[in-house]
């Protein structure tokens, strides 16, 4: 990963625990942590800018999960899509408990989900798929 100082435009690389990691979409929770999914290894990772610590969790789909699109909801829970399984799966993770709490297959299969957006007023996740579909996932109250 990488940060940019907006005043000086100086770049700082942040090493991840595994050299073969291929981080995809980043998300930020209210505590300032930066989250990423590792497409190559099947991990969800958390970088703490204050301490510099990086922590990772293997995703439910394992090494072949190919996690890609990710978003954070209004409860600081992370949602990402495992693009490796067929059909793709929407996965929820709660940082407060450090547990995966939801796994839902995407009916169209998905192909791949690259970007996700959380819409707070309606508590929905929106994303497009490589199957030429747009999806809406209503999150529980």
């Amino acid at each position: 990963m990488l940060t940019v100082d907006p005043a000086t435009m100086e770049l700082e690389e942040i090493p991840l625990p595994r050299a073969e990691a291929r981080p995809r979409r980043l998300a930020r929770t209210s505590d300032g942590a930066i989250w990423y999914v590792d497409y190559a290894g099947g991990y969800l990772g958390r970088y703490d800018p204050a301490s510099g610590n990086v922590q990772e969790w293997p995703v439910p789909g394992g090494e072949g999960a190919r996690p890609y699109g990710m978003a954070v909801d209004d409860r600081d829970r992370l949602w990402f899509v495992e693009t490796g399984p067929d059909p793709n799966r929407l996965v929820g993770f709660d940082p407060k408990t450090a547990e995966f709490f939801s796994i839902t297959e995407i009916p169209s299969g998905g192909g791949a989900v690259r970007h996700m957006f959380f819409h707070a007023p309606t508590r929905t996740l929106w994303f497009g798929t490589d199957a030429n579909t747009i999806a809406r996932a209503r999150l529980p109250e």
Side-chain angles (χ1 to χ4, degrees):
M1 289 198 311
L2 176 64
T3 65
V4 179
D5 181 326
T8 66
M9 297 307 287
E10 183 179 337
L11 302 177
E12 176 191 356
E13 282 192 57
I14 299 162
L16 297 178
R18 292 166 299 100
E20 66 277 8
R22 287 176 52 200
R24 292 297 184 260
R25 306 303 177 246
L26 302 178
R28 183 177 178 273
T29 47
S30 65
D31 63 358
I34 306 298
W35 294 82
Y36 63 91
V37 287
D38 172 22
Y39 180 81
Y43 286 87
L44 172 68
R46 178 186 188 274
Y47 168 67
D48 180 351
S51 68
N53 291 334
V54 177
Q55 186 175 6
E56 292 186 322
W57 294 263
V59 300
E63 189 175 318
R66 306 281 187 248
Y68 213 107
M70 182 170 55
V72 176
D73 70 16
D74 55 349
R75 296 181 185 164
D76 271 349
R77 297 178 304 179
L78 295 129
W79 297 88
F80 62 90
V81 173
E82 294 181 335
T83 66
D86 186 15
N88 290 177
R89 303 182 324 167
L90 176 64
V91 178
F93 179 82
D94 188 342
K96 292 178 182 110
T97 62
E99 293 180 354
F100 296 95
F101 66 89
S102 178
I103 300 173
T104 306
E105 291 184 351
I106 297 173
S108 70
V113 172
R114 299 177 193 281
H115 298 282
M116 298 174 68
F117 174 77
F118 174 70
H119 184 250
T122 58
R123 302 206 77 263
T124 54
L125 289 169
W126 288 89
F127 53 90
T129 75
D130 284 353
N132 288 329
T133 59
I134 294 175
R136 176 181 63 193
R138 292 185 182 103
L139 301 183
E141 291 299 321

